[in-house]
């Protein structure tokens, strides 16, 4: 598994746990534990922290974008995995350095996370929401 894909997987697993416990756990401790457990020797741990910091700093805005792009799916009815894949994917699509993470890479990585960790329709759902946002960006 490529190191950045592994980093995104660790971020997703960490956000899943944090979200599952209603955001009451210490997110930094969860991430540190998951990096140690699932990413020993990962050569870019700062990439994990960059995504986490970006998602947290833009958390409310990311949620609003999800609600706007998927109006038939209230945020609390979207599965925890899909909700957090969308947050990660939208952060990378909208706020990450485009030289580091081009838009299509952000979308493809989010779809892969959804396929690997979500339900049978997660990949299509993530593709639909991120595709909607991407088309809006192009306008």
């Amino acid at each position: 598994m490529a190191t950045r894909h592994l980093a995104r997987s660790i971020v997703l697993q960490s956000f899943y746990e944090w979200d599952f416990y209603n955001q009451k756990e210490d997110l930094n401790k969860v991430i540190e534990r998951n990096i140690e457990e699932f990413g020993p020797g990962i050569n870019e741990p700062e990439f994990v922290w960059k995504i986490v910091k970006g998602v947290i700093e833009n958390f409310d805005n990311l949620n609003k974008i999800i609600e706007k792009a998927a109006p038939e799916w209230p945020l609390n009815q979207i599965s925890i995995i899909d909700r957090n894949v969308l947050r990660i994917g939208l952060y990378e699509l909208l706020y990450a350095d485009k030289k580091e993470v081009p838009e299509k890479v952000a979308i493809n990585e989010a779809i892969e996370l959804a396929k690997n960790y979500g339900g049978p329709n997660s990949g299509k759902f993530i593709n639909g929401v991120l595709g909607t946002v991407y088309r809006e960006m192009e306008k």
Side-chain angles (χ1 to χ4, degrees):
M1 183 182 297
T3 191
R4 289 206 164 180
H5 187 74
L6 176 59
R8 288 180 183 96
S9 296
I10 291 169
V11 172
L12 177 60
Q13 291 167 334
S14 301
F15 275 132
Y16 178 91
E17 182 177 337
W18 182 67
D19 203 358
F20 183 83
Y21 290 110
N22 298 311
Q23 304 165 3
K24 291 184 174 134
E25 295 218 347
D26 182 338
L27 182 58
N28 289 334
K29 287 182 182 176
V30 171
I31 292 163
E32 288 170 4
R33 184 188 70 235
N34 286 341
I35 288 173
E36 189 176 308
E37 187 173 337
F38 301 115
I42 192 168
N43 62 2
E44 275 186 292
E46 65 278 358
F47 187 69
V48 171
W49 293 106
K50 185 184 293 187
I51 295 171
V52 170
K53 182 176 186 266
V55 170
I56 294 301
E57 286 177 353
N58 297 286
F59 195 77
D60 292 335
N61 195 40
L62 293 170
N63 287 342
K64 288 176 187 167
I65 294 167
I66 293 168
E67 290 169 344
K68 184 179 176 192
E72 63 282 353
W73 287 96
L75 201 59
N76 65 347
Q77 289 183 10
I78 298 173
S79 75
I80 296 174
I81 287 289
D82 291 355
R83 186 168 55 225
N84 285 291
V85 168
L86 284 170
R87 288 172 179 149
I88 294 165
L90 284 169
Y91 162 71
E92 289 196 303
L93 182 62
L94 299 171
Y95 301 107
D97 180 354
K98 303 301 176 227
K99 293 177 197 144
E100 188 176 28
V101 183
E103 287 100 340
K104 292 187 178 180
V105 170
I107 293 170
N108 287 337
E109 283 292 324
I111 292 168
E112 287 304 310
L113 285 174
K115 286 179 179 177
N116 290 334
Y117 296 99
N121 295 317
S122 292
K124 291 177 187 174
F125 177 66
I126 300 302
N127 187 33
V129 174
L130 294 180
T132 297
V133 173
Y134 181 68
R135 284 187 296 280
E136 284 295 314
M137 289 171 51
E138 290 183 319
K139 289 183 182 176

